[in-house]
Amino acid sequence: MSSFTIIVAATRTNGIGQNGRLPWRLPKEIAYFARVTSTAPEGSMNAVIMGRNTWESIPQKFRPLPRRINIVISGNQEYPLPSDASSPCYLHNELDSALRWTGGVEKTIHRRFIIGGALLYSECLSPKLLSPSSTPPVNRILLTRIIEPAFEECDVYMPDFLADGGEQPQWTRASHQELEDWVGGAVPTGLQVENGVTYEFQMWVR
């Protein structure tokens, strides 16, 4: 199975949302997300895989996410998606189906990103996706760590991927230079402050 990257903004306690939306407003962080997930060599595109709730949390005027292949996971196989030749949308009923489908079109898809929500993060980090001899399909996490405030009002959380579960290889934080090399361009280093929120761009690999 081809490898995938999680991209997420999360608090120190792994909070990622409140009432179906992001609890912070960080335009520069959103611009980073857009640049990373849409940059691909000519003739290919990146795929962004998301659950239906994440899809619906994107303002309608911004979806599908442009210059990316949008893949939505929903148990409703009649769920309507827009038709956009420049930013195609595909519906899958489960994460495993989406992962295997994207792995079968290597020449078209450059990179594959899981962009939310919590259920997909939990599922793709689960060892249940692995056979005893396989490597983890998710081997990279692009984490925007929200340092402060704590955003204790979050009601949606991603798994604590740094917790020692003992079943998979452990995560290691990459250097900032390694992050920039992988992204293919400059990334602000150190603590960033925007709209009263302190955060940091990080990359974790295994």
Side-chain angles (χ1 to χ4, degrees):
M1 182 182 291
S2 300
S3 62
F4 295 79
T5 297
I6 283 177
I7 185 165
V8 61
T11 67
R12 289 179 181 271
T13 56
N14 296 308
I16 60 174
Q18 178 194 9
N19 297 327
R21 61 175 179 82
L22 295 175
W24 43 77
R25 184 178 178 277
L26 304 174
K28 292 180 181 178
E29 199 278 330
I30 292 295
Y32 167 80
F33 167 89
R35 175 166 65 94
V36 170
T37 58
S38 62
T39 300
E42 185 175 356
S44 65
M45 297 177 74
N46 294 327
V48 286
I49 303 172
M50 69 198 89
R52 180 180 57 81
N53 289 339
T54 297
W55 167 264
E56 293 178 352
S57 73
I58 301 170
Q60 190 166 3
K61 64 181 179 179
F62 295 126
R63 66 185 197 230
L65 295 177
R67 305 187 310 280
R68 283 153 283 187
I69 297 171
N70 290 241
I71 300 174
V72 180
I73 310 298
S74 174
N76 176 10
Q77 289 305 285
E78 302 301 322
Y79 186 77
L81 290 176
S83 176
D84 187 327
S86 63
S87 304
C89 296
Y90 297 96
L91 184 68
H92 284 262
N93 64 352
E94 59 182 8
L95 176 61
D96 184 66
S97 169
L99 299 185
R100 296 185 185 284
W101 181 82
T102 57
V105 284
E106 295 287 345
K107 294 182 179 179
T108 303
I109 296 180
H110 174 52
R111 287 174 171 166
R112 303 151 180 82
F113 294 92
I114 307 286
I115 68 169
L119 289 178
L120 279 194
Y121 290 144
S122 296
E123 187 174 352
C124 69
L125 288 169
S126 169
K128 292 180 181 179
L129 277 180
L130 304 177
S131 66
S133 61
S134 66
T135 57
V138 174
N139 61 3
R140 188 180 313 271
I141 296 178
L142 297 181
L143 171 66
T144 299
R145 179 64 84 187
I146 307 297
I147 307 298
E148 59 180 4
F151 290 102
E152 295 178 353
E153 68 273 21
C154 283
D155 54 20
V156 180
Y157 295 82
M158 72 174 292
D160 182 3
F161 67 94
L162 295 177
D164 183 10
E167 298 179 79
Q168 297 188 38
Q170 297 304 296
W171 292 93
T172 301
R173 183 173 174 179
S175 69
H176 192 78
Q177 184 61 57
E178 289 172 316
L179 168 59
E180 291 188 324
D181 289 345
W182 193 83
V183 167
V187 177
T189 184
L191 298 181
Q192 310 297 308
V193 179
E194 187 176 7
N195 289 334
V197 179
T198 302
Y199 62 92
E200 184 179 29
F201 296 113
Q202 303 176 1
M203 181 169 76
W204 294 79
V205 296
R206 65 179 177 185

